[in-house]
Structures are given as structure tokens and as C-alpha cells.
Amino acid sequence: MLTRKQSDLLEFIHRRIKADGVPPSFDEMKDALDLRSKSGIHRLITALEERGFIRRLAHRARALEIIKLPEAMEARLAAEGHAPEPDPKPADMPAEIAAMAMNLPVMGRIAAGVPISAISEISHEIAVPGSMLGQGSHYALEVHGDSMVQAGINDGDVVVIRETGTADNGDIVVALIEDQEATLKRFRRNGKRIALEAANPAYETRIYSDDQVRVQGRLVGLIRSY
């Protein structure tokens, strides 16, 4: 059973995706529900995600997917012509693909420096050796900045990321900060604090509370053009 605010937000997101093809921003959701701060929206989205109504996509901010709607809402929206479309099931990957080159989507640019606006869309595809990937879903990002040079990651490199929401201390991750900005940094957790460390002494380590940072993936490979 959803609360009134949860139901209102779910319907608002659904209608905006149907009308515009993209979810609303957090500011738009806050205004639509007449809330004072975006923290209330974060809590509502988390509740909807935990109940299986929406899914946050790993590779960009403002990326919400409607998984299902309450039966009463779905029936009402269907009568209005807003019924959700079924989600196609991905085909199983043949085992022999592991040894072959695979095309991965390059989801724009990622900051290896000061955080930039989060990744928004697929810019192109790149062939990646299957041996680099292993199990799970992957995507690629073009590096922008020099904060990870001492980890061997240079401006213009393409990093291969395995989608995951967790990381161990020392992993290089794609971190989404306050659902607004994305950055490539080394991950360190100390209790409820998360440090995002650069690999360049010119950049300071940034410290956040654990509710401000969402891991979007872990570095598993790097491609460099000469």
C-alpha cells in the first residue's frame, strides 16, 4: 500500500516519461508535490524502489524506470491511454561470446576531476574484448580530467565499468553524488562517511555522508587511443 505522496510521485513520473520520454528532475518533482526540499523526494523514490515500483538506472542521474503501477492506478491510466508498456526480457548471452569482442554503449563523459553533470545518454558504442567483462552488465565512459593520472587513467581514456551498487575500499568507482553529479574516484568507506579519493595530489579528497553517494559501477578495464 502506497502513501498518498508515494502514489502522487509515481503517477507524476509515469506521466512525464510518457509525455516527454525522460523522467522529471528532482526540482520538478519537488514542486509538483509541493515539498520544501529534495530530501523528501529522495525518501519517496527510495520507498518506491524498495517496493518494486521503480528502478534507478545505474549509468546516469534523472534515470528512473517504471517497473509496475498499483492495479487501481494502472486501470485508471489505461482508460486515459497511459498504460505502461511491457518491459522486454533480455536474451541469454551465449557462452562463446565471452571470448569475443563486444560492443558496449559509451554513456558520455565522466569527470576525473571536479564532478560534472551526470551522464545523460548513449553517445556511441565501442568494441571491448569479452575477456575484460566477465558476468554482469557493463557500460563505457570517456574520461574528462586528470585527477586519476597516478592510477594510469588519463584524460580522453575510455573506462569500462561493471554495473554494481556496492564497492570495496580501494575500488575505483563511478560515484553519483546527490543524484546530480558523477565522478570517477577511488572509494573509501569509514562508518557512515564516504571518501572519494583522487589519484593526483592537485585534487583534494572529498568527504560525503553515505546517503549522498550512490555507487553506479566499478572500473574493470581501460581502453586508450594513441
Side-chain angles (χ1 to χ4, degrees):
M1 188 76 169
L2 297 181
T3 67
R4 177 62 181 272
K5 287 292 187 183
Q6 290 167 357
S7 180
D8 288 347
L9 180 60
L10 181 62
E11 183 171 342
F12 178 65
I13 293 170
H14 175 76
R15 289 181 180 275
R16 283 294 300 272
I17 291 174
K18 284 292 184 181
D20 302 336
V22 294
S25 69
F26 277 78
D27 283 326
E28 290 169 333
M29 288 186 267
K30 175 176 68 70
D31 293 341
L33 271 67
D34 196 27
L35 297 179
R36 292 185 177 181
S37 70
K38 289 186 288 187
S39 62
I41 295 296
H42 284 284
R43 288 192 293 271
L44 291 172
I45 286 177
T46 298
L48 290 171
E49 188 175 30
E50 290 174 347
R51 286 161 176 77
F53 288 97
I54 65 172
R55 175 168 57 207
R56 282 187 261 210
L57 303 182
H59 35 64
R60 63 187 192 270
R62 286 190 62 177
L64 300 173
E65 181 182 13
I66 300 291
I67 304 301
K68 64 179 181 179
L69 298 174
E71 290 184 4
M73 183 187 297
E74 185 172 356
R76 176 168 51 81
L77 292 174
E80 299 175 10
H82 290 280
E85 298 176 0
D87 188 23
K89 299 293 186 294
D92 291 337
M93 182 184 298
E96 61 267 26
I97 285 184
M100 300 169 58
M102 298 178 60
N103 286 335
L104 287 185
V106 179
M107 307 298 299
R109 308 181 82 186
I110 182 73
V114 177
I116 57 176
S117 295
I119 307 99
S120 59
E121 61 183 13
I122 298 173
S123 61
H124 60 284
E125 291 188 339
I126 190 169
V128 176
S131 59
M132 186 182 292
L133 301 180
Q135 297 183 343
S137 299
H138 297 76
Y139 58 95
L141 294 164
E142 181 182 346
V143 174
H144 177 68
D146 62 356
S147 74
M148 299 301 290
V149 291
Q150 292 185 356
I153 303 171
N154 298 331
D155 184 51
D157 287 347
V158 173
V159 289
V160 179
I161 305 297
R162 177 178 297 139
E163 292 187 19
T164 179
T166 62
D168 296 326
N169 282 344
D171 285 346
I172 295 176
V173 303
V174 174
L176 191 62
I177 303 168
E178 296 182 330
D179 282 323
Q180 298 294 321
E181 297 176 316
T183 191
L184 186 72
K185 291 290 184 292
R186 196 174 296 280
F187 177 93
R188 305 279 184 192
R189 177 185 288 276
N190 184 4
K192 293 188 176 182
R193 310 295 288 179
I194 290 175
L196 299 179
E197 297 178 352
N200 183 334
Y203 294 85
E204 64 181 16
T205 296
R206 295 174 176 265
I207 308 295
Y208 299 92
S209 60
D210 59 2
D211 62 348
Q212 291 179 296
V213 176
R214 185 178 295 272
V215 173
Q216 303 288 276
R218 182 173 61 85
L219 177 73
V220 295
L222 183 145
I223 299 171
R224 179 169 296 158
S225 298
Y226 294 93

